[in-house]
Amino acid sequence: ATLDKRIADTQMPLVTIANMKNEAQKGNYSPLSSAMIKAIKKTLAAKKQVVIFLNKRGFSGATMCKSCGHNFQCQNCDLSMKLHRKFNRRRKTEEAKLICHYCGFMEFLPKACPCCKALDFEFKGWGTQQVELALKKAFSQAHILRADSDTVSGKYDFENLMKAFHDKKADILLGTQMIAKGLDFEDVVFCGVILADVGLHLPDFRAEERVFQLLTQVAGRAGRRKEQGTVLIQTYHEDEPIFQFVKKHDVSGFIDWQMRLRKEALMPPFSQMVKITFSDPDKATAFVMAKDFEKKMKHLRGDFTDLEVNFAPAFFPRMHNQYHFHVFLRLLKTSINTVLEKVKIPEKAKIDVNPASLL
């Protein structure tokens, strides 16, 4: 069964695309395109509410020294730390912290670069905190609520935020995935997506599927009751086919397109996959374990002609102070269990049959 209409028989929202490359050419490097600002102004003038979505919390995605190029990375994960700004009410000062979104490691942003002692940093990428500042600057009279894991940490924080928005105590709700689905506010007639490219180009055959689901869910927050809503999606890749399916609310067309691509590439559901991950604090140990297992599996290809074996470092090679390497098995006809019964899986290995993510 499909849900092809809304409960109040309201028309599906009108979805438009804003090309952020054009904004940069005009000299606009802020998170808000001119079309986004215009749409929010129109909505607020009509005494209606706005939902803005960005799937990145914090202030910025990466912090770098402008003089020497030093990049602040997590000591446990070798990934860029995310800058978070917070006002300390007790000290009456703003604190800047660098936080790893994967293991939670945290440290204060130093006043000077630890490598060259320079005082000037460059902050790359947008987070919800930076978007909040841009919204406050553009709409100084509007009341803005931000819903992300920094503002929603207590048991009732999210519930209180949603109640305040429902009671019209705020004009704009800005948030991450937690506001993408399940929200039903009568006066929300406009939804804006700050950066639809997040997660789109990951090396995973399910990447487009996840982004399509998320954008469809976000679009579903606009115009749910009395009037048709509007949705504006900002992207640097306007020509990607996925956005045409989102604009037309064409779920079946998207599924058919994805199924064709997966059939051509022999990806699930046209094959079975297993991801076996080898992890160790010592990089060489994890690497050797994975390569040894890969060699054993390749020896089985004489018995199973449809078995394909591939070795690859994890997309995030070091997380939680562990190095990770994957061995991928792909089968077209033979049962996965039949193959795995032929080989002993090392105790340290983690097996994921038909994994939700290849990363």
Side-chain angles (χ1 to χ4, degrees), residues 111-136:
K111 292 183 179 180
C113 173
C115 293
C116 70
K117 307 306 178 185
L119 303 176
D120 204 3
F121 299 119
E122 182 177 358
F123 306 108
K124 295 184 175 183
W126 304 316
T128 47
Q129 290 183 339
Q130 190 171 171
V131 174
E132 182 181 23
L133 290 178
L135 287 168
K136 287 180 177 180

Side-chain angles (χ1 to χ4, degrees), residues 2-123:
T2 59
L3 295 174
D4 53 5
K5 64 179 182 178
R6 292 184 163 183
I7 190 170
D9 285 331
T10 312
Q11 281 186 289
M12 295 296 284
L14 177 65
V15 180
T16 56
I17 307 294
N19 191 331
M20 295 304 286
K21 291 181 182 178
N22 296 338
E23 293 295 313
Q25 290 172 0
K26 297 174 186 176
N28 178 17
Y29 298 100
S30 81
L32 306 176
S33 64
S34 54
M36 183 77 75
I37 291 175
K38 183 179 179 181
I40 296 175
K41 280 184 179 179
K42 181 180 178 181
T43 305
L44 297 181
K47 305 298 182 183
K48 298 293 184 179
Q49 291 176 298
V50 172
V51 167
I52 302 295
F53 172 80
L54 173 62
N55 201 21
K56 282 188 176 183
R57 65 187 179 97
F59 185 84
S60 66
T63 302
M64 185 181 75
C65 173
K66 284 187 176 181
S67 296
C68 72
H70 172 73
N71 183 35
F72 291 88
Q73 289 190 316
C74 173
Q75 66 179 19
N76 301 319
C77 302
D78 286 347
L79 296 169
S80 293
M81 304 271 279
K82 314 302 180 184
L83 179 66
H84 289 245
R85 296 187 184 277
K86 185 176 182 180
F87 184 76
N88 188 314
R89 294 182 180 179
R90 183 172 61 85
R91 298 179 180 178
K92 294 183 179 181
T93 57
E94 184 182 71
E95 295 179 344
K97 293 181 180 179
L98 296 167
I99 302 175
C100 175
H101 286 181
Y102 295 91
C103 75
F105 176 74
M106 178 174 59
E107 63 184 12
F108 284 101
L109 176 69
K111 292 183 179 180
C113 173
C115 293
C116 70
K117 307 306 178 185
L119 303 176
D120 204 3
F121 299 119
E122 182 177 358
F123 306 108

Side-chain angles (χ1 to χ4, degrees), residues 55-56 79 102 177 196-211 214 237 240 258 267 314-316 356-359:
N55 201 21
K56 282 188 176 183
L79 296 169
Y102 295 91
Q177 281 198 44
D197 307 316
V198 176
L200 185 58
H201 297 109
L202 292 174
D204 191 327
F205 69 93
R206 289 192 176 93
E208 289 168 323
E209 177 187 345
R210 294 193 190 96
V211 173
L214 198 54
H237 301 90
E240 289 285 347
Q258 282 289 295
M267 301 301 287
F315 185 73
F316 302 113
S357 170
L358 301 185
L359 304 183

Side-chain angles (χ1 to χ4, degrees), residues 57-331:
R57 65 187 179 97
F59 185 84
S60 66
T63 302
M64 185 181 75
C65 173
K66 284 187 176 181
S67 296
C68 72
H70 172 73
N71 183 35
F72 291 88
Q73 289 190 316
C74 173
Q75 66 179 19
N76 301 319
C77 302
D78 286 347
L79 296 169
S80 293
M81 304 271 279
K82 314 302 180 184
L83 179 66
H84 289 245
R85 296 187 184 277
K86 185 176 182 180
F87 184 76
N88 188 314
R89 294 182 180 179
R90 183 172 61 85
R91 298 179 180 178
K92 294 183 179 181
T93 57
E94 184 182 71
E95 295 179 344
K97 293 181 180 179
L98 296 167
I99 302 175
C100 175
H101 286 181
Y102 295 91
C103 75
F105 176 74
M106 178 174 59
E107 63 184 12
F108 284 101
L109 176 69
K111 292 183 179 180
C113 173
C115 293
C116 70
K117 307 306 178 185
L119 303 176
D120 204 3
F121 299 119
E122 182 177 358
F123 306 108
K124 295 184 175 183
W126 304 316
T128 47
Q129 290 183 339
Q130 190 171 171
V131 174
E132 182 181 23
L133 290 178
L135 287 168
K136 287 180 177 180
K137 183 178 179 180
F139 309 100
S140 57
Q141 301 302 312
H143 186 194
I144 301 166
L145 290 176
R146 176 163 55 87
D148 54 30
S149 56
D150 295 315
T151 61
V152 179
S153 55
K155 186 176 180 180
Y156 300 107
D157 288 348
F158 186 72
E159 181 180 323
N160 292 335
L161 273 173
M162 294 306 103
K163 186 178 187 305
F165 194 63
H166 177 272
D167 294 343
K168 312 283 180 64
K169 295 180 180 179
D171 307 294
I172 301 173
L173 174 64
L174 163 67
T176 53
Q177 281 198 44
M178 63 180 68
I179 68 165
K181 57 183 177 180
L183 305 185
D184 183 13
F185 298 112
E186 182 176 329
D187 279 347
V188 173
V189 296
F190 174 73
C191 286
V193 179
I194 294 298
L195 190 59
D197 307 316
V198 176
L200 185 58
H201 297 109
L202 292 174
D204 191 327
F205 69 93
R206 289 192 176 93
E208 289 168 323
E209 177 187 345
R210 294 193 190 96
V211 173
F212 180 81
Q213 289 177 340
L214 198 54
L215 294 180
T216 300
Q217 289 166 349
V218 173
R221 301 314 102 212
R224 297 179 60 85
R225 296 292 171 175
K226 298 178 181 177
E227 60 183 286
Q228 183 184 27
T230 58
V231 179
L232 179 65
I233 296 174
Q234 295 184 169
T235 175
Y236 284 94
H237 301 90
E238 184 181 13
D239 296 332
E240 289 285 347
I242 183 176
F243 296 123
Q244 297 308 311
F245 293 110
V246 174
K247 285 176 67 174
K248 298 174 183 177
H249 306 285
D250 187 3
V251 177
S252 60
F254 175 80
I255 293 173
D256 290 342
W257 173 58
Q258 282 289 295
M259 290 295 275
R260 287 197 306 272
L261 294 179
R262 294 188 190 185
K263 188 174 184 179
E264 291 171 4
L266 294 178
M267 301 301 287
F270 302 99
S271 66
Q272 303 171 78
M273 292 195 73
V274 183
K275 180 176 73 173
I276 305 172
T277 304
F278 297 84
S279 306
D280 196 90
D282 180 63
K283 185 177 182 179
T285 300
F287 176 83
V288 169
M289 286 193 299
K291 292 300 287 186
D292 285 348
F293 184 76
E294 178 199 24
K295 186 177 180 180
K296 291 177 182 178
M297 295 308 302
K298 284 184 174 180
H299 284 158
L300 293 178
R301 288 186 299 187
D303 299 326
F304 306 103
T305 57
D306 62 333
L307 173 62
E308 182 181 308
V309 183
N310 289 294
F311 164 88
F315 185 73
F316 302 113
R318 182 170 175 259
M319 290 181 63
H320 299 279
N321 208 26
Q322 298 258 337
Y323 290 92
H324 308 281
F325 293 90
H326 301 317
V327 175
F328 293 99
L329 310 180
R330 182 163 62 170
L331 293 152

